[in-house]
Amino acid sequence: KELLNIQAFELKRVLDFEPDFLDEDAEHEHDSTVSSVSCRIKGNVNQAMLSKWIGRLIQEDGANLYRYKGILAIKGVDEKFIFQGVGMLFNGNISDMKWGIPEGERENIFVFIGKNLDHEWLRECFKACLVTKELRFKVGDKVQANIGEYTDGTVTELWDDGNAYRIELDDDEKTNVYAPIDVNSYVRPRK
């Protein structure tokens, strides 16, 4: 349902770009540089890394992406992330549809159709977004969160809303911040 009726394909726009698109008598040539790549990969993705990769992919390769869509499992989120796009037009959201299976059994599925696609590169970049290792910190660990400067806090949640950590700062307001990925530039051990 979420993939239908979003008006990603507009005939008028195509005809402005390629006036002979509907001409049945015109000669049509198949372009050997056009291909598709699909992938099924078990696991859960880090939402921050996925967002950065998709953003970069659309910005740099959007003109060569004719169509893409998929259903992804985001670590710490019980619902499916569904996306689709045409060129540089991207639509993706966490849906209302729950997985109904344990995180360890979830499978990501996506397909890209486009020109001059590097199949292996697309697969490898997606795999780099998968959560593959245990987090360094546990709930209750005392850490420093980078909020412009490193500030003392305590880990209160793991994989909260797709973020590796939720951290409660040691301030009067008990401010909560997120560390989207598990690297020192976001969160480090207390010194």
Side-chain angles (χ1 to χ4, degrees), residues 176-190:
N176 278 239
V177 297
Y178 292 101
I181 56 178
D182 187 15
V183 295
N184 278 339
S185 58
Y186 286 108
V187 58
R188 69 184 186 190
R190 278 204 194 171

Side-chain angles (χ1 to χ4, degrees), residues 20 22-28:
D20 297 333
L22 295 176
D23 187 354
E24 293 181 25
D25 296 326
E27 285 190 31
H28 296 285

Side-chain angles (χ1 to χ4, degrees), residues 25 33-35 40 47-48 84 119 127 144 149 157 161-162:
D25 296 326
T33 63
V34 174
S35 65
R40 293 174 90 92
Q47 187 171 9
Q84 72 166 347
H119 295 210
K127 287 178 186 175
Q144 290 186 318
E149 63 183 2
E157 297 279 338
D161 199 27

